[in-house]
Amino acid sequence: MKRFVIVLISLVVLLLPSMVFASGGQEGGSGKLAVGVVLPTKDEERWTQDETRFRDAFKKAGYNVQILFSEKDSAKEKANVESLISQGVKAIIICPVDASAAAAAADEAHAAGIKVISYDRLIRDSSNVDYYVTFDSVAVGAAWSSYLVSKATGKGNNLYIYAGAASDNNAFLFFQGAWQVIQPKIADGTFRIVNSSEAIALQNKATLTRDEMARIIGQVTTNWSPSDAKNIAESNLTAASADQKGVCYVLSPNDQTARAIGDAFAADKAVTKYYTTGQDADKSSIQYIIDGKQSMTVLKDVRTLVADAIAAAIAYLKGSNPPQTNTYNNGKIDVPAKPSAIVSVTKDNVKAAIVDSGYYPASLFTGL
C-alpha cells in the first residue's frame, strides 16, 4: 500500500507542471494554449517592454499565451513557431528577425490552420500572412526629416544618413518616409549629403524604387546594432573634411543607434553641434533628450500596438476578422492592416508625451 501511495504521489508531481500550465485563462476552457508570440530578441529594451505588456494584457483578457524570443536568429524563430504549432495554438503573433526568412515559418503555421499576425515588422514573400499590426512607419521617417528640416537654416547643411537593417521591411518604410520629406531640401541645396555616395547619386529623384533604397540602406546600415552604428559613424567622421563637420544633421534610425551615433559625433571636436533623430522612446533616450544628447525620438506607444495585436488574435479566435484601414504589399499579397499613430517627442514636449500620458513615470528620469 505504501508503495502504491509513493508511486501515486510521484505521478502527481510529474504531471503538476503541465496541469498548472493549462489552468490559466484559455480559449473556451479547453486548457489548450490559445496564442503564441514570437519576438526577435531580449537584447533590446523595446522587445522586453513588449513582452511585459503582452503577458499582462493577455492575462487580463483571460487567454493563455506563450512568449518566445528568437535571439536574432531566423532558424530559432522557425523552431519557436514549430514549437507553438505542436502546442496547438490557434493564432501566432510574429515579429520577424528577417522579413523574407520568416515566410517559411508563416507558411508552416498557416498550413496547420493557424492565423498568422505579423507584428511591427512585415513578413515578406508569403501569401499566408493574415494580418499586419504596425505603426505608420512611413510617418516615422517623415517625422525624422521634418524635425531636421525645422532646425536647418541657410544652405549646405551637413546631412549624415543612417538606416536600419536591410533584412527588415520597416527599414525601407522608414527610409521612404524620410526621403520624401528631406529630398526636396537636398535638391534645393538646404542639405548636402556627406556619408553616402549612393544617396548623392540619387539625390535628384523625389521617389526611389525599392532597389534604389536598398543601395543606399546597404551603404549606411546600422543593422539595428549600437556597435555597428558607432563604428560607421566614427568611420564617416574620420573620412569627413573639416567643412563637413561643424553643425551636423543626423538621420538616425532608432534610439539605440541614435545614442551610439550621437556619442560618436559628441566625441569629435570638430563637430560643434549635432541634431539626431530616433524612435521607440527608450527610457535611456528620453534621458538623453532631457540632457540634450539626443534631439528627438518617435513615440510608438506599444500599449496601443499590443492592444491591436491582442484584439486581432481574439477576433480570429472568435471566428471574426480584425478591423482594416490599410493594406501593405509584402511581395506576394496585400496584407490587411490597421496602422497606429505615432508622436514626435522633443525636449519641448517630453513631459506631456512621455510622463503625463502615463507611458513612463517621472521617477525614471532626472532633470525633467
Side-chain angles (χ1 to χ4, degrees):
M1 183 66 179
K2 286 182 180 178
R3 180 170 180 151
F4 173 77
V5 171
I6 291 169
V7 170
L8 185 60
I9 291 171
S10 299
L11 284 171
V12 170
V13 170
L14 286 170
L15 289 171
L16 188 58
S18 60
M19 291 165 64
V20 170
F21 181 76
S23 67
Q26 54 244 337
E27 180 199 2
S30 65
K32 292 182 180 179
L33 184 63
V35 183
V37 179
V38 181
L39 297 175
T41 177
K42 267 192 172 182
D43 294 341
E44 296 176 22
E45 181 182 308
R46 161 67 201 281
W47 305 116
T48 54
Q49 279 185 48
D50 286 39
E51 177 193 22
T52 300
R53 297 190 193 279
F54 266 122
R55 200 176 298 284
D56 292 347
F58 267 117
K59 183 178 179 181
K60 186 176 180 181
Y63 287 87
N64 272 346
V65 63
Q66 185 170 356
I67 302 171
L68 303 174
F69 287 88
S70 301
E71 300 167 7
K72 296 185 178 180
D73 183 341
S74 293
K76 174 71 172 174
E77 177 179 87
K78 190 169 184 290
N80 283 338
V81 170
E82 289 168 349
S83 172
L84 293 170
I85 293 170
S86 71
Q87 294 177 62
V89 299
K90 303 298 182 184
I92 298 180
I93 298 167
I94 307 173
C95 181
V97 173
D98 181 296
S100 294
D107 294 345
E108 193 169 343
H110 218 261
I114 297 166
K115 292 294 186 180
V116 176
I117 299 167
S118 192
Y119 179 75
D120 195 62
R121 299 172 179 173
L122 181 60
I123 299 171
R124 288 187 57 79
D125 304 319
S126 171
S127 57
N128 293 314
V129 182
D130 294 285
Y131 195 66
Y132 181 29
V133 177
T134 183
F135 290 105
D136 189 338
S137 296
V138 174
V140 171
W144 299 338
S145 291
S146 295
Y147 177 81
L148 296 181
V149 169
S150 73
K151 296 299 179 182
T153 58
K155 301 291 183 179
N157 295 285
N158 295 314
L159 176 65
Y160 290 78
I161 297 173
Y162 300 99
S167 60
D168 181 354
N169 188 66
N170 277 2
F172 288 81
L173 297 176
F174 299 143
F175 192 84
Q176 176 188 333
W179 186 261
Q180 69 187 20
V181 172
I182 210 160
Q183 187 276 334
K185 292 298 181 180
I186 297 169
D188 74 8
T190 301
F191 293 102
R192 60 171 181 173
I193 302 166
V194 175
N195 67 321
S196 171
S197 59
E198 295 288 354
I200 292 169
L202 294 164
Q203 64 185 358
N204 292 319
K205 289 197 67 175
T207 303
L208 301 178
T209 67
R210 188 177 180 88
D211 285 344
E212 288 169 339
M213 285 191 284
R215 281 158 46 191
I216 299 172
I217 291 171
Q219 191 174 43
V220 297
T221 181
T222 63
N223 293 307
W224 300 127
S225 162
S227 59
D228 286 2
K230 186 178 181 183
N231 288 340
I232 190 173
E234 289 175 343
S235 176
N236 291 160
L237 288 167
T238 298
S241 58
D243 67 322
Q244 292 174 325
K245 296 183 181 181
V247 179
C248 301
Y249 297 78
V250 187
L251 202 66
S252 308
N254 74 350
D255 281 350
Q256 283 203 131
T257 58
R259 296 193 300 273
I261 291 167
D263 289 345
F265 275 77
D268 192 308
K269 294 180 180 178
V271 174
T272 57
K273 187 175 181 62
Y274 62 92
Y275 298 94
T276 51
T277 63
Q279 68 169 312
D280 296 333
D282 285 357
K283 291 189 288 288
S284 298
S285 276
I286 297 303
Q287 189 63 60
Y288 260 49
I289 288 171
I290 295 167
D291 296 340
K293 297 194 290 184
Q294 182 174 326
S295 307
M296 67 88 75
T297 187
V298 174
L299 169 62
K300 303 187 303 184
D301 195 329
V302 175
R303 294 170 298 182
T304 302
L305 201 67
V306 166
D308 287 346
I310 292 173
I314 292 174
Y316 285 132
L317 293 176
K318 292 182 175 180
S320 59
N321 292 316
Q324 173 186 335
T325 59
N326 203 346
T327 61
Y328 291 83
N329 190 276
N330 74 348
K332 290 282 188 179
I333 60 169
D334 292 326
V335 182
K338 178 181 170 286
S340 303
I342 54 96
V343 178
S344 292
V345 180
T346 67
K347 199 167 186 175
D348 293 336
N349 72 335
V350 64
K351 183 176 181 297
I354 299 298
V355 175
D356 296 347
S357 71
Y359 197 74
Y360 290 134
S363 58
L364 290 176
F365 310 107
T366 58
L368 187 65

